[in-house]
Amino acid sequence: MAERQIRCPICMHHCLLQPGQIGRCRARKNENGKSRPVNYGRLTALALDPIEKKPLAMFAPGSRILSAGSFGCNLSCPFCQNYEISMCEEEPETVYVSPERLAEKALELQRQGNIGVAYTYNEPLVGYEYVRDTAALVRRAGMKNVIVTNGSVTEEVLEEILPFTDAMNIDLKGITDAFYRSLGGDLETVKRFIKRAAPACHVELTTLIVPGENDSEGQMEQLAAWVAGVDDKIPLHVTRFFPRWKMTDRPSTKVETVCRLADVAGRHLKHVFTGNC
């Protein structure tokens, strides 16, 4: 049978891929007529982090978690903090770690306070199969799974990983369609993701405040009100921007701006935290 083009079903981009072609996420390709992850088990980073670094403020506070990252992302945020692995045009140096070995490593680190595995650093769900397979083993071992994600994948992908997920930090980058489009994303996709995830596991949200982009009180009022409509007990992290990658044309967000917007969010939400201040 002749090889054929496909539409990748993983996220809102639904990339049309010719045989052997890699999608815009840099992590999936058309292999034998299927969308396959090229980053399966290929880690660029592995570290034992404080849980607060994810950031999670209200899930197992004071604990540590083995954090694993691969490469690839389906957004194109010009301020990306980990652009070397998420936005890489050429595949970065990696080490293959099987799901079995990562789960074993998590268990070995229990004596150092480790509670499980966090899938983080790049966008983990563009390679959700590795997350799903590893998370099942971690859960079987009695440990926790944390996913740090942009929430920009289909509900079908979310349903694959939810049964093994204990906590998530989801980026809610803003509350306007225009801002999300400028990042190569889709606001409604993220909203659906949050609505489905919030009742199923512990969810915290992060909004990075970028000067001149999403730093108005009106936008924060709208964002916090929407989150409260899902659940006003969802923690929101309002964090400070620093010039990075392609966005070095503006200064860091003022600390007072972050604090003021956190106060605005607090009119609607019970748990608001500031970050990078």
Side-chain angles (χ1 to χ4, degrees):
M1 181 182 295
E3 291 190 73
R4 59 184 177 85
Q5 65 182 14
I6 62 167
R7 283 208 178 271
C8 182
I10 302 305
C11 79
M12 64 282 169
H13 295 306
H14 296 296
C15 293
L16 181 63
L17 302 178
Q18 302 300 324
Q21 184 179 1
I22 291 177
R24 64 174 289 165
C25 66
R26 304 165 181 84
R28 304 191 72 88
K29 76 173 180 178
N30 178 353
E31 189 175 280
N32 299 320
K34 299 286 186 181
S35 173
R36 306 286 190 192
V38 299
N39 65 350
Y40 188 98
R42 296 176 58 190
L43 301 188
T44 56
L46 192 64
L48 187 61
D49 288 334
I51 195 77
E52 289 80 6
K53 190 177 177 181
K54 296 307 97 191
L56 289 172
M58 299 183 68
F59 180 81
S63 64
R64 304 173 82 189
I65 193 158
L66 180 61
S67 300
S70 184
F71 61 87
C73 183
N74 55 346
L75 298 188
S76 303
C77 303
F79 45 77
C80 181
Q81 300 297 297
N82 295 320
Y83 68 91
E84 297 93 341
I85 57 174
S86 61
M87 298 287 109
C88 53
E89 292 300 331
E90 296 182 3
E91 290 186 11
E93 183 177 346
T94 62
V95 174
Y96 179 76
V97 180
S98 69
E100 293 79 9
R101 180 60 191 129
L102 188 54
E104 289 171 0
K105 184 68 173 174
L107 275 171
E108 291 168 6
L109 290 170
Q110 274 188 312
R111 63 178 67 92
Q112 296 182 40
N114 182 44
I115 63 167
V117 175
Y119 310 87
T120 180
Y121 301 138
N122 71 308
E123 173 47 54
L125 297 185
V126 294
Y128 79 92
E129 294 94 336
Y130 182 71
V131 175
R132 177 197 62 201
D133 296 349
T134 306
L137 297 173
V138 170
R139 172 68 64 79
R140 193 178 305 161
M143 303 189 79
K144 305 296 186 183
N145 290 295
V146 169
I147 298 174
V148 182
T149 177
N150 60 30
S152 296
V153 294
T154 62
E155 292 174 84
E156 290 78 8
V157 169
L158 178 56
E159 295 298 335
E160 288 277 341
I161 55 97
L162 262 184
F164 311 109
T165 303
D166 297 286
M168 290 189 186
N169 184 285
I170 305 168
D171 275 339
L172 179 56
K173 295 179 183 291
I175 201 62
T176 67
D177 293 321
F179 186 51
Y180 258 93
R181 284 196 300 270
S182 75
L183 307 178
D186 175 68
L187 176 59
E188 291 306 314
T189 297
V190 181
K191 283 182 172 181
R192 285 193 296 270
F193 188 101
I194 293 169
K195 285 180 179 179
R196 175 66 186 97
C201 66
H202 178 85
V203 166
E204 301 191 19
L205 305 178
T206 295
T207 300
L208 181 73
I209 303 302
V210 183
E213 301 291 344
N214 64 345
D215 58 343
S216 72
E217 291 189 15
Q219 286 191 47
M220 180 54 72
E221 187 90 42
Q222 186 181 352
L223 185 150
W226 180 84
V227 175
V230 178
D231 185 344
D232 66 359
K233 294 183 290 297
I234 294 176
L236 174 67
H237 298 258
V238 182
T239 63
R240 187 182 180 206
F241 159 90
F242 292 98
R244 186 74 168 151
W245 195 33
K246 293 182 178 180
M247 193 171 274
T248 57
D249 61 339
R250 62 202 70 193
S252 304
T253 313
K254 294 179 179 179
V255 172
E256 51 264 40
T257 299
V258 174
C259 294
R260 184 179 74 251
L261 294 179
D263 288 342
V264 171
R267 299 170 190 166
H268 300 273
L269 300 171
K270 297 185 183 303
H271 309 291
V272 180
F273 302 91
T274 58
N276 296 341
C277 294

